[in-house]
Amino acid sequence: MTKHVVNSQPQAVLSPEIKSKMRQLPVFFIALSLMLWSCGPEQAPILRFDHAAVVSAHPLASEVGASILKAGGNAVDAAVGVHFALAVVFPQAGNIGGGGFLVTRDEHGAAHSIDFREKAPAAAFREMYLDEFGEVIPDLSWKGHLAVGVPGSVAGMWAAHDSLGSLPWADLLQPAIDLAALGFALTAKEAEALNEKIDRFRTYNTRPALWWEKDVWQAGDSIHLPDLARTLSYIRDLGPAGFYQGPVADSMIAEMQRGQGIMTHEDLLAYDAQWREPLRGSYRDCEVISMGPPSSGGVALLQLLELVEPFPLSSYGFHSAEAVHLMVEAERRVYADRAKHLGDPDFWPVPVAGLLQPAYLQERMKSFSENAATPSDSIFAGNPLVLESTETTHYSIIDAQGRAVSVTTTLNGGYGSGVLVGGAGFFLNNEMDDFSAKPGVPNAYGLLGAEANAIEPGKRMLSSMTPTIVTRHDSLLMVVGTPGGSTIITSVFQNIINIVDFNMGMNVSVSAPRFHHQWRPDQIDYEKDAFDPKVIQVLENMGHKLSIRGPIGRVDAILVLPGGSLSPGADPRGDDWSSGY
Ligand code: DON
């Protein structure tokens, strides 16, 4: 193999015109980073940008995206910059060791999606997480080296950029390299997230690394990641070959061997990101464009919207008992379908068209009663026609030409498997847990699955990620998505309803409290203050069980206002931040 000399130092690889615009970035990042930990990153709501906007989980990543847009990059260029910046400053979910989905629509209405979901290694097999009695071994698909799926992010970003990007790849990687090499300060929320995981890091890693050097992290602690800067420099200089081959790949496989993982060089070489037809459906006077299998997100979202469309949600009122009851009843039916019918379409004939047929969906709602909860025990997956053979993070971007990009990406749990690739400085995912390890046994998000989502070599595990773009009368209306495991689908669903039925502004919509039902367990999970006590009483009288829980998702979205300016919504549940011009 050719030896490449890669310089981990921040380098002047920018083309001259972009260089002048982006030259001040490192100094700006350090200043912003200091400001963030000294006063906390809470952003006062920004009402509008005139031309272009980025909303992501971290202020520094949003600023990278905005600087690329200002320098003339398009939304895909900005997505690449944001993705790699998140891999540095937001390691709990931003990643190069994970995967995700990208949905994009250009100003003429052409839409595309890229599946860069992780794949099961070739040595994976159906019973790999079961003991000799056929029982699931706790944590084996969730923590450590065996939980790792073959990462897709670098291939996905490359595919997007190769077809739709406009600025040089190297220029888009450089801000992330600068952040890793020059350093940044931890926010309070990141310090807290790290502190929860230090024991896991120490248990599953075999090499020293910054993240578990200390016992307690604090807001303002300074982070320098030279190994990660070097890894990103390989990717900057060599593209996917800098990750799936060469020294970074060698480090990943050496890490696997130290920890008895099963991913091999052949798995890395065989990884491919896939262009897939996005799913398109309608809701009232809007078109909804979202991600198809191997995410369940688009199918489930379109099913939910179709199920509630015949009902006058706006006259019921926001979070009224009628509205919540209707949405929950739709959700339990849709999640029952998800558990049986959804999986990787390259391995399982997912009946997408059948699941979205209006006649099929009307049939699913025949058992709906306006006055009483339908127990989940009496709801089963339907029999759609087979009409064809066939801690996550989200960012939303709109550029000055009107191209929209919606990306949800993840390592699965916060910091994924907890395994950091020794010497290469990045965390590997624990996405194998998204397979159904055994029919009837729930995964980390309580989700059930069966044959369609059983483990097979080279197969992609089912996802709930729902990066979505909504248009009205052929004009872009909103870009939306969120993390949150199984709650992703219902959070996107609620935000579309907030905008379309309840006419909210985007800041109000992303901040509004949320609720969730996923068929099993048979309960409505809700955030504190989501419901008036009287609404809770009415729902309980109908037979619903309610369970209060912590924050649901972190929705980052952008609304196009009449007249064309952009109103961002950065979820206040996290450090999420909007930037633009
Ligand atoms: O693909 C999925 O559905 C999950 N791996 C997403 C995990 C997630 O959202 C965790 N973040 N809160």
Side-chain angles (χ1 to χ4, degrees), residues 53 143 234 409 460:
K143 298 177 184 171
Y234 279 110
T409 179
R460 290 172 151 102

Side-chain angles (χ1 to χ4, degrees), residues 363-408:
E363 187 62 33
R364 297 288 287 152
M365 276 308 251
K366 277 214 169 122
S367 56
F368 170 68
S369 150
E370 291 195 0
N371 312 313
T374 319
S376 286
D377 282 348
S378 67
I379 299 281
F380 303 96
N383 292 308
L385 292 177
V386 179
L387 296 173
E388 55 202 285
S389 54
T390 70
E391 185 116 315
T392 308
T393 190
H394 177 86
Y395 49 92
S396 294
I397 303 175
I398 299 177
D399 68 21
Q401 284 67 46
R403 178 182 282 283
V405 172
S406 188
V407 177
T408 313

Side-chain angles (χ1 to χ4, degrees), residues 117 391-392 410 412 431 434 445 462-465 483-485 488:
R117 181 68 160 166
E391 185 116 315
T392 308
T410 190
N412 199 13
E431 221 72 68
D434 275 350
Y445 304 102
L462 183 62
S463 174
S464 301
M465 291 189 271
I488 291 174

Side-chain angles (χ1 to χ4, degrees), residues 224-257:
H224 289 88
L225 302 167
D227 287 350
L228 182 55
R230 192 171 48 252
T231 294
L232 291 169
S233 304
Y234 279 110
I235 300 169
R236 174 194 65 201
D237 295 347
L238 306 175
F243 182 81
Y244 294 100
Q245 302 171 46
V248 176
D250 292 344
S251 301
M252 270 190 273
I253 301 313
E255 183 59 57
M256 284 291 122
Q257 287 163 355

Side-chain angles (χ1 to χ4, degrees), residues 40 55 82 94 111 135 138 159 170 185 202 219-220 235 238 278 333 362 368 383 440 446 482 493 534 543 551:
V55 190
V82 169
E135 301 302 330
R202 289 181 179 152
I235 300 169
L238 306 175
R333 286 159 176 82
Q362 278 153 22
F368 170 68
N383 292 308
T482 180
F493 174 50
K534 283 192 219 118

Side-chain angles (χ1 to χ4, degrees), residues 57-188:
H58 198 287
L60 293 168
S62 294
E63 294 301 334
V64 166
S67 68
I68 291 169
L69 292 170
K70 282 181 204 159
N74 66 22
V76 171
D77 296 321
V80 173
V82 169
H83 197 101
F84 287 104
L86 284 170
V88 177
V89 297
F90 190 59
Q92 46 188 302
N95 69 80
I96 53 175
F101 299 98
L102 176 149
V103 176
T104 181
R105 176 189 182 273
D106 71 15
E107 58 276 29
H108 310 295
H112 301 282
S113 67
I114 304 177
D115 159 8
F116 55 100
R117 181 68 160 166
E118 298 90 329
K119 286 178 158 192
F125 56 100
R126 182 178 296 229
E127 299 86 11
M128 65 185 279
Y129 299 116
L130 305 185
D131 65 15
E132 65 212 278
F133 308 106
E135 301 302 330
V136 172
I137 303 168
D139 285 344
L140 208 55
S141 63
W142 186 250
K143 298 177 184 171
H145 297 67
L146 263 191
V148 177
V150 185
S153 283
V154 175
M157 286 300 117
W158 179 264
H161 180 263
D162 199 36
S163 295
L164 302 172
S166 69
L167 297 184
W169 170 258
D171 295 357
L172 307 174
L173 269 281
Q174 194 59 41
I177 297 169
D178 290 343
L179 283 165
L182 301 176
F184 60 96
L186 278 187
T187 69

